[in-house]
Amino acid sequence: THPLVTLLQREKSLILEKEGSFLGYEDGIRTRLSLSDDRPKISLWGILKSMIGKDMTKMTLPVSFNECTSLLQRVAEDMEYVDLLDSAATFEDSALRLVYVAAFAASEYASTIDRIAKPFNPLLGETYEYARPDRNYRFFVEQVSHHPPIGAAIAESPKWDYFGESAVKSKFYGRSFDIKPLGTWYLNLRPDHGIKEELYTWKKVTSSVVGIITGNPTVDNYGEMKIVNHTTKDSVVLNFKPRGWRSNNAYEVKGEVIDGKGVIRYTIGGHWNSVLYGKHAGPGKEKFVIWRANPRPKDMAFNLTTFAASLNAPQEKLLDWLPQTDTRLRPDQRAMEEGRYDDASVEKNKVEEKQRAARRKREAANQEYKPKWFTLGTHPVTGEQYWVFNNKYWYNRAHHNLKDVPNIF
Ligand code: CLR
């Protein structure tokens, strides 16, 4: 555990507590689905070959290609290894803090292995919250745009805030299906040493389904990820190598942490599906383990991780606190999770038709859609547009004041 030591940390801790962030999360977390996966086995190539050149939003695939999570919940999966951020905050050396922040940015890819399935596309206005009293953080995401699909997210904990937009450009090239994330991700870190909050930013790398034609589909993640500490000017470029011919570079990632004076301070290396090592750049230094992936459970439906299995749990105490826009209440996804695939398909058509009807109504009334919990702003440091949380969700939730959200399911 990481005790709170600074005023900024204690201030944030008080907010989390005062706003009742953990109310409803008393039941603990679910670690398995009751279902054993019996989706029909189908050839990806067989169904995809007619869709070359299309992006994901233009593909109509049978619901059996889905997994029982939504893209909002896939963003929440970034939270699996937030321990790394708590650790980062404990180091006095900014270069070492960046080593741990970089490992956090790379850690989210471990869960993409063996998940060749389409997450549900969130409906406009759909929200998803996930709080962990045992880890002292809360997470919230809202679907703020439908065309193009954009989710705005923010996670908060005493030592850090992590926020950004989840938006992807996807295209099926025949040999591979590429998903390129567009948004910038931000981290405000509140280190134990010093009184200043630090800003880090990075962009996510490309995810790709390869091996479609040969009938051996796998998820690869590749490209360069530049992580910058804007406060100290430390930076690192993590190089995620493409899997390569005969898979010889599979899962490999490496990078060098360079401080504000241009000096190489640490090297990072390893595999994003299993373990990352760090090494001090000085002579005679041993490498050390920064991060290890959690073991993957055997026989989990949809090959979910244990963490992912917790996301859609309809915990009884929690249901009293959720707005009706929360993913956990979405009927098609619930049916999918329970293995009722035909129901899932029917329900999916229903909620999508409801979404189209709402849009037609807005258009007829000449109304512009406005997200409920985020507004667009300009970031003071990066100068980029980003989604600013209006900070009303958790407060209203604690006061059972979420009744006026639209009925979208
Ligand atoms: C990767 C990590 C990012 C967020 C993110 C966004 C889109 C996700 C992607 C992650 C992983 C791969 C993904 C993709 C959407 C579709 C794609 C789930 C989580 C799957 C593998 C495509 C399946 C293809 C079908 C035709 C079956 O931070």
Side-chain angles (χ1 to χ4, degrees):
T1 57
H2 303 273
L4 306 182
V5 300
T6 74
L7 200 62
L8 285 176
Q9 295 172 356
R10 272 183 251 129
E11 263 170 24
K12 192 71 187 214
S13 174
L14 258 171
I15 292 174
L16 296 192
E17 205 186 297
K18 250 191 8 218
E19 296 189 349
S21 317
F22 304 118
L23 293 169
Y25 285 92
E26 297 84 5
D27 289 336
I29 59 166
R30 178 178 73 175
T31 55
R32 288 203 66 85
L33 302 184
S34 48
L35 168 81
S36 63
D37 201 350
D38 56 356
R39 278 174 304 159
K41 292 261 176 299
I42 4 177
S43 147
L44 258 188
W45 176 242
I47 191 129
L48 288 183
K49 63 185 173 202
S50 62
M51 302 186 194
I52 293 177
K54 282 199 180 180
D55 75 43
M56 209 165 40
T57 61
K58 305 230 163 61
M59 294 176 154
T60 32
L61 295 168
V63 79
S64 53
F65 282 78
N66 280 42
E67 61 172 31
C68 61
T69 70
S70 74
L71 275 171
L72 300 181
Q73 291 168 327
R74 293 295 296 246
V75 183
E77 286 191 49
D78 287 4
M79 300 289 100
E80 182 168 357
Y81 300 103
V82 287
D83 291 30
L84 291 164
L85 297 180
D86 289 317
S87 299
T90 63
F91 301 117
E92 196 165 355
D93 176 6
S94 63
L96 194 52
R97 290 201 289 277
L98 184 50
V99 167
Y100 280 77
V101 170
F104 169 73
S107 70
E108 66 176 75
Y109 294 101
S111 66
T112 63
I113 296 294
D114 289 332
R115 305 269 295 275
I116 314 283
K118 204 173 158 252
F120 280 77
N121 201 8
L123 299 162
L124 187 60
E126 188 172 330
T127 60
Y128 179 71
E129 61 156 75
Y130 185 79
R132 286 290 291 264
D134 56 331
R135 298 279 169 95
N136 213 2
Y137 71 78
R138 66 185 187 189
F139 170 92
F140 178 73
V141 56
E142 173 184 10
Q143 189 74 1
V144 291
S145 163
H146 185 61
H147 279 303
I150 301 175
I154 178 162
E156 299 158 278
S157 188
K159 302 197 178 196
W160 47 265
D161 308 317
Y162 171 66
F163 52 100
E165 81 170 26
S166 164
V168 299
K169 228 174 122 171
S170 62
K171 193 164 175 163
F172 179 49
Y173 291 96
R175 294 168 64 86
S176 68
F177 186 95
D178 283 10
I179 302 106
K180 200 175 158 6
L182 304 170
T184 297
W185 286 85
Y186 295 81
L187 173 74
N188 294 333
L189 191 72
R190 293 178 278 277
D192 292 357
H193 302 267
I195 43 165
K196 262 214 267 180
E197 184 176 80
E198 296 182 317
L199 171 72
Y200 299 75
T201 61
W202 63 89
K203 284 187 157 86
K204 299 186 175 200
V205 298
T206 298
S207 299
S208 177
V209 183
V210 297
I212 296 172
I213 296 179
T214 55
N216 252 323
T218 331
V219 178
D220 192 19
N221 298 288
Y222 65 90
E224 286 191 342
M225 179 190 267
K226 181 170 190 185
I227 306 158
V228 180
N229 179 339
H230 294 267
T231 312
T232 62
K233 312 293 181 217
D234 297 284
S235 68
V236 57
V237 177
L238 284 184
N239 183 7
F240 291 71
K241 294 201 183 153
R243 196 173 172 85
W245 191 59
R246 294 205 295 204
S247 321
N248 36 347
N249 298 328
Y251 319 118
E252 225 181 287
V253 56
K254 62 179 191 188
E256 289 172 340
V257 173
I258 300 175
D259 69 16
K261 297 195 187 80
V263 179
I264 299 177
R265 298 287 314 286
Y266 283 92
T267 54
I268 301 175
H271 295 90
W272 51 258
N273 68 330
S274 56
V275 53
L276 290 173
Y277 299 98
K279 194 173 166 299
H280 193 279
K285 293 282 172 47
E286 297 280 308
K287 68 175 183 180
F288 57 94
V289 173
I290 316 166
W291 165 86
R292 232 182 252 287
N294 292 324
R296 293 292 284 266
K298 294 216 162 45
D299 312 317
M300 180 84 92
F302 306 102
N303 288 326
L304 297 189
T305 59
T306 307
F307 184 87
S310 75
L311 295 172
N312 205 41
Q315 310 287 53
E316 209 168 308
K317 292 203 179 78
L318 185 55
L319 293 177
D320 286 344
W321 297 96
L322 296 177
Q324 59 180 350
T325 48
D326 194 277
T327 305
R328 290 177 189 81
L329 305 172
R330 202 176 146 161
D332 48 352
Q333 223 177 292
R334 181 63 57 211
M336 191 76 187
E337 187 182 290
E338 291 170 356
R340 296 181 282 112
Y341 306 131
D342 292 342
D343 293 352
S345 181
V346 171
E347 296 292 346
K348 185 164 171 284
N349 287 332
K350 269 200 218 159
V351 292
E352 284 171 355
E353 183 44 50
K354 193 163 173 175
Q355 170 166 258
R356 282 190 284 273
R359 195 193 53 219
R360 283 193 296 269
K361 213 172 136 192
R362 269 195 313 275
E363 280 169 3
N366 225 335
Q367 261 170 4
E368 213 192 314
Y369 181 80
K370 265 228 189 101
K372 185 143 179 82
W373 309 107
F374 291 87
T375 49
L376 267 181
T378 304
H379 194 276
V381 175
T382 62
E384 288 176 24
Q385 283 223 318
Y386 78 118
W387 292 97
V388 188
F389 191 40
N390 66 15
N391 259 314
K392 291 185 181 149
Y393 179 81
W394 295 98
Y395 178 85
N396 280 317
R397 174 191 194 273
H399 293 83
H400 284 294
N401 196 15
L402 296 173
K403 301 265 158 26
D404 64 338
V405 301
N407 176 355
I408 54 171
F409 298 149

